[in-house]
């Protein structure tokens, strides 16, 4: 009789508290489904593109970024979801290790970005330059740049003349493009009551000085605007950072490090 009871206890024994186990399972399941949605959106965006893939923009292609992030999330949350469901310590430890590694990577990037701000700005600037150069080659990249410039009320990386990096907007005299010396419409200051966006509002702006350009566009670069935005929203940035860190750190603390593999 005692032997049967001991066997039943062994079969129902779990290294994780049932409440924590179910929390971990539903937490992982939620992000597992979310990661699948991200991958599906990324694949759909990549398939629907009318242009061929530009090799130089592969790493900054929003669709590729979505697919990469979704795949990483999928495998991490798979370990957490199945590990909590089956009480598999190997998968739970892999889940805990992966979350810790992701958190430490994010922390390292944040620290390096803080102490090496000039180098970080230069590195980000190189990515933005690629985005400007291939602005017309990738619709997703174009929409992303327009969104950033509208939200931050900026134009280019350093200033509005950065758009000469683009073949269509280049301001040299020999450029035959009809958009020569122009900037995208997302650089333009909105006109109150304007029902239809004037996509030609930035034509010829690069040939003007900053005082003249200030009448129709945002002449300040997005680098300076981003710094100002972060400084004026430190509480929000801190809250978002903490909100991203807690889901990564908390589950890794729920697994008993003394548990035996089985």
């Amino acid at each position: 009789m005692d032997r049967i009871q001991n066997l039943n206890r062994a079969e129902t024994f779990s290294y994780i508290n049932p409440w924590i186990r179910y929390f971990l399972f539903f937490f992982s399941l939620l992000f597992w489904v979310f990661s699948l949605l991200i991958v599906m959106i990324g694949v759909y965006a990549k398939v629907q593109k009318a242009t061929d893939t530009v090799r130089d923009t592969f790493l900054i292609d929003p669709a590729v970024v979505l697919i990469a992030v979704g795949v990483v999330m999928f495998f991490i949350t798979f370990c957490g979801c199945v590990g909590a469901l089956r009480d598999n310590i190997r998968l739970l430890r892999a889940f805990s290790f992966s979350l810790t590694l992701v958190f430490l990577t994010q922390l390292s990037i944040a620290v390096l970005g803080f102490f090496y701000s000039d180098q970080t700005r230069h590195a980000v600037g190189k990515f933005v330059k690629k985005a400007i150069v291939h602005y017309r080659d990738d619709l997703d990249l174009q929409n992303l740049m327009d969104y950033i410039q509208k939200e931050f009320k900026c134009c280019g990386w350093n200033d509005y003349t950065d758009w000469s990096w683009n073949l269509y907007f280049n301001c040299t005299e020999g450029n035959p493009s009809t958009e020569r010396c122009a900037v995208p419409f997302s650089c333009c200051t909105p006109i109150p009551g304007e029902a239809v966006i004037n996509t030609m509002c930035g034509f010829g702006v690069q040939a003007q000085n900053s005082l003249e350009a200030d009448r129709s566009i945002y002449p300040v670069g997005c680098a300076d605007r981003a710094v100002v935005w972060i400084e004026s929203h430190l509480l929000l940035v801190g809250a978002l950072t903490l909100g991203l860190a807690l889901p990564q750190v908390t589950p890794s603390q729920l697994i008993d490090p003394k548990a035996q593999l089985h």
Side-chain angles (χ1 to χ4, degrees):
M1 186 68 178
D2 292 338
R3 182 179 180 183
I4 296 176
Q5 291 179 347
N6 291 333
L7 288 174
N8 291 333
R9 289 176 182 175
E11 291 176 355
T12 59
F13 175 75
S14 175
Y15 289 106
I16 307 175
N17 182 284
W19 290 103
I20 295 177
R21 178 181 179 182
Y22 292 133
F23 166 79
L24 187 60
F25 169 73
F26 286 112
F27 171 84
S28 301
L29 181 62
L30 177 65
F31 280 89
W32 193 14
V33 174
F34 183 63
S35 67
L36 285 175
L37 290 176
I38 291 178
V39 172
M40 291 171 62
I41 292 173
V43 172
Y44 176 80
K46 195 67 180 174
V47 171
Q48 290 299 315
K49 286 185 179 181
T51 56
D52 295 331
T53 302
V54 181
R55 184 177 302 176
D56 196 36
T57 63
F58 184 79
L59 294 178
I60 58 175
D61 187 343
V64 174
V65 173
L66 283 177
I67 294 172
V69 171
V71 169
V72 172
M73 283 183 59
F74 177 84
F75 284 107
I76 292 177
T77 53
F78 171 82
C79 293
C81 185
V82 178
L85 181 65
R86 305 297 299 174
D87 198 20
N88 189 308
I89 298 301
R90 287 189 177 88
L91 289 178
L92 289 175
R93 284 185 171 176
F95 175 69
S96 176
F97 175 78
S98 299
L99 287 183
T100 303
L101 183 62
V102 170
F103 174 74
L104 292 177
T105 302
Q106 293 174 346
L107 184 62
S108 301
I109 292 174
V111 171
L112 291 175
F114 179 78
F115 286 103
Y116 299 95
S117 56
D118 292 338
Q119 291 85 341
T120 302
R121 176 169 176 160
H122 178 69
V124 175
K126 291 172 66 176
F127 280 97
V128 175
K129 182 176 181 179
K130 286 184 179 181
I132 291 176
V133 169
H134 298 285
Y135 176 79
R136 293 297 192 198
D137 302 329
D138 191 318
L139 183 60
D140 292 331
L141 201 58
Q142 179 176 323
N143 292 333
L144 179 61
M145 284 297 300
D146 287 337
Y147 175 79
I148 292 174
Q149 293 189 145
K150 286 180 181 178
E151 290 298 314
F152 284 93
K153 298 181 179 180
C154 57
C155 190
W157 178 243
N158 299 301
D159 57 37
Y160 63 100
T161 59
D162 288 345
W163 281 99
S164 275
W165 293 335
N166 185 276
L167 180 64
Y168 296 93
F169 301 124
N170 187 274
C171 205
T172 56
E173 294 184 2
N175 186 10
S177 173
T178 56
E179 295 181 302
R180 174 181 170 271
C181 289
V183 294
F185 74 94
S186 54
C187 291
C188 299
T189 54
I191 300 175
E194 184 181 33
V196 180
I197 298 176
N198 179 14
T199 57
M200 300 178 65
C201 59
F203 275 47
V205 170
Q206 289 189 59
Q208 303 173 358
N209 58 45
S210 58
L211 292 177
E212 294 175 335
D214 190 37
R215 300 172 185 173
S216 57
I217 68 166
Y218 304 113
V220 182
C222 293
D224 294 332
R225 285 292 190 186
V227 172
V228 172
W229 187 90
I230 292 174
E231 291 177 349
S232 60
H233 295 80
L234 286 177
L235 184 61
L236 177 61
V237 173
L240 288 175
T241 303
L242 184 62
L244 290 174
L246 283 177
Q248 299 174 46
V249 176
T250 303
S252 63
Q253 306 301 320
L254 302 179
I255 302 172
D256 183 6
K258 297 180 181 180
Q260 300 296 322
L261 295 176
H262 65 283

